[in-house]
Amino acid sequence: MTELSKSGAAVGEPTDASPAPTAFLEVRDLKVHFPTDDGLVKSVDGLSFALEKGKTLGIVGESGSGKSVTSLGIMGLHTAGQYGKRKAQISGEIWLDGTELLSADPDHVRKLRGRQMAMIFQDPLSALHPYYTIGAQIVEAYRIHHNVDKKTAKRRAVEMLDRVGIPQPDKRIDSYPHEFSGGMRQRAMIAMSLVNNPELLIADEPTTALDVTVQAQILDLIRDLQKEFGSAVIVITHDLGVVAELADDILVMYGGRCVERGPAEDVFYEPRHPYTWGLLGSMPRLDREQQERLVPVKGSPPSLINIPSGCAFNPRCPYADVPKDNVTRTVRPELTEVGSRHWAACHLSAEQRETIWINEIAPKL
Ligand SMILES: Nc1ncnc2c1ncn2[C@@H]1O[C@H](COP(=O)(O)OP(=O)(O)OP(=O)(O)O)[C@@H](O)[C@H]1O
Ligand code: SF4
Ligand SMILES: [Mg+2]
């Protein structure tokens, strides 16, 4: 994630002129809304960020905050079957290597998918076809974009399975998805995602269903492969700890919007938004007693149909009454710079934040 020198979109406000982007991936004021019988679900509601090649952006937020919808939107898959049949309303701009994807020919976007950009899905079973062998699926993914014979493609598939740490890849290539363990399936899907050396890789909760050891292996793998291929990577998770080490930058989502973003170190060690404080407080810590550690953010995520007025976090925020004149309930806070390349959307003044952080939050972490 980089500062957007030309458009200024990094401060959350894309300009009308929409000048050409400077970053490899630039998302400007992305909105993905779903019309439903109950009303319009504003799953993503004005998200802007940029990402360079060779860098990793971590997107963090609770369940339902819009992380997967964001990634499906970037991949041009927001209307995909897994999210229902009603047509999503999508607006904003998604620039990938100089091409604006939302206004591009869908055939062109389809060609980019798999070749220039690829996604590791939250649920590997939804991305792998049960009736075809793992090998056949990787071969197919490769041959769509490369004019090679099956033998050459199979060699490439074996090489990829080997690369992601599947033992005896020349034998396992003929296995079906259900014959693999969860961790192996996740690896196979990573192999399939990376077979065409994508320049943009989106990994949506790549480790949630896995045990801690396999989680660490998968994250190492993504890191190694990124170094090797120099790709831009987005890692999506609800676990701030996962991205603290892996990501260069972190973007915290709440109710379909960004509430904080900046360099991973700053967001992790000096967060400036009460919601990020809550996420940090709820992180499992190995050095604490069980009852001391898991303090979830109190309350439930907001309705995306009736988003609370003012700051969407106000019904759950312990500091909602600190800023004057009930402003947290009436005025939506915009992202403002709180440090170098570090933004937060909160009405607390710099002094108020500092005092709360030093006296109440930091000592408990
Ligand atoms: N097709 C759709 N129609 C209506 N609502 C939808 C649709 N797709 C997604 N949503 C809603 O959008 C919101 C954001 O969903 P999303 O899958 O992006 O959440 P998430 O942050 O990825 O959560 P999780 O951590 O559980 O994966 C959810 O409330 C979801 O129910
Ligand atoms: S704007 Fe108010 S309610 Fe929202 S996070 Fe800041 S202090 Fe809490
Ligand atoms: Mg998700």
Side-chain angles (χ1 to χ4, degrees):
M1 192 169 63
T2 53
E3 195 161 352
L4 304 182
S5 50
K6 281 191 187 169
S7 67
V11 290
E13 294 299 328
T15 58
D16 293 339
S18 292
T22 52
F24 176 66
L25 171 70
E26 198 168 310
V27 172
R28 294 177 180 169
D29 200 24
L30 179 67
K31 293 183 181 162
V32 188
H33 296 172
F34 296 99
T36 69
D37 292 342
D38 300 323
L40 193 62
V41 180
K42 296 182 176 176
S43 299
V44 179
D45 199 29
L47 196 66
S48 301
F49 64 84
L51 179 63
E52 294 292 358
K53 278 179 91 171
K55 298 283 180 194
T56 300
L57 168 68
I59 301 186
V60 193
E62 285 170 306
S63 190
S65 55
K67 306 181 299 295
S68 293
V69 171
T70 299
S71 42
L72 292 170
I74 295 171
M75 298 288 296
L77 292 171
H78 48 282
T79 47
Q82 71 187 100
Y83 277 116
K85 297 215 170 358
R86 282 181 111 149
K87 202 162 165 46
Q89 300 169 356
I90 186 162
S91 66
E93 295 169 31
I94 300 170
W95 291 88
L96 183 73
D97 202 15
T99 302
E100 203 288 295
L101 301 182
L102 292 186
S103 54
D105 177 1
D107 277 343
H108 179 64
V109 177
R110 220 184 338 268
K111 280 188 194 130
L112 294 181
R113 204 160 51 230
R115 166 115 218 189
Q116 197 174 20
M117 55 183 183
M119 183 157 167
I120 301 172
F121 288 89
Q122 200 161 358
D123 170 15
L125 280 180
S126 72
L128 293 169
H129 199 292
Y131 298 150
Y132 295 97
T133 62
I134 297 281
Q137 297 185 58
I138 300 178
V139 162
E140 170 73 9
Y142 191 60
R143 289 188 78 209
I144 289 176
H145 299 289
H146 294 87
N147 190 14
V148 295
D149 58 31
K150 277 195 177 159
K151 218 169 143 193
T152 310
K154 192 169 177 185
R155 254 203 319 273
R156 170 78 178 160
V158 171
E159 177 193 314
M160 285 314 293
L161 288 178
D162 187 37
R163 191 70 195 76
V164 299
I166 300 227
Q168 298 185 292
D170 49 335
K171 296 207 171 56
R172 300 310 301 260
I173 193 165
D174 294 321
S175 305
Y176 289 88
H178 71 267
E179 296 175 299
F180 273 17
S181 68
M184 299 264 277
R185 272 200 292 267
Q186 196 63 283
R187 282 165 198 263
M189 196 170 51
I190 294 176
M192 192 159 86
S193 308
L194 293 172
V195 72
N196 295 309
N197 298 355
E199 292 169 281
L200 171 67
L201 175 69
I202 304 182
D204 188 358
E205 306 261 12
T207 61
T208 325
L210 309 174
D211 71 48
V212 179
T213 320
V214 183
Q215 271 188 27
Q217 288 170 357
I218 298 278
L219 294 175
D220 280 349
L221 181 65
I222 293 175
R223 196 178 358 226
D224 288 352
L225 293 168
Q226 179 191 32
K227 268 197 203 122
E228 193 173 316
F229 298 128
S231 327
V233 174
I234 298 178
V235 175
I236 293 177
T237 173
H238 54 261
D239 185 344
L240 204 44
V242 163
V243 288
E245 290 219 351
L246 193 67
D248 297 288
D249 292 281
I250 295 178
L251 186 158
V252 182
M253 275 187 91
Y254 187 78
R257 295 174 65 90
C258 169
V259 293
E260 178 161 11
R261 67 165 177 259
E265 276 215 342
D266 295 350
V267 175
F268 195 67
Y269 292 108
E270 286 184 65
R272 289 287 177 261
H273 194 282
Y275 176 63
T276 319
W277 295 341
L279 285 182
L280 265 186
S282 63
M283 264 180 56
R285 291 263 305 254
L286 296 175
D287 56 340
R288 300 267 177 90
E289 291 297 319
Q290 182 75 24
Q291 66 272 24
E292 263 188 302
R293 37 187 167 103
L294 287 173
V295 188
V297 184
K298 283 196 185 117
S300 336
S303 151
L304 297 175
I305 295 176
N306 294 306
I307 296 175
S309 59
C311 171
F313 189 52
N314 86 66
R316 305 169 72 185
C317 181
Y319 310 104
D321 292 320
V322 176
K324 278 193 184 142
D325 302 330
N326 210 19
V327 68
T328 60
R329 292 178 185 87
T330 53
V331 181
R332 188 159 74 182
E334 295 299 331
L335 285 168
T336 50
E337 203 154 3
V338 291
S340 171
R341 293 182 56 246
H342 185 177
W343 293 267
C346 172
H347 288 301
L348 290 172
S349 68
E351 294 73 32
Q352 288 167 334
R353 262 197 298 266
E354 192 74 12
T355 310
I356 296 171
W357 171 251
I358 291 174
N359 297 329
E360 296 183 39
I361 311 294
K364 288 191 198 147
L365 295 175

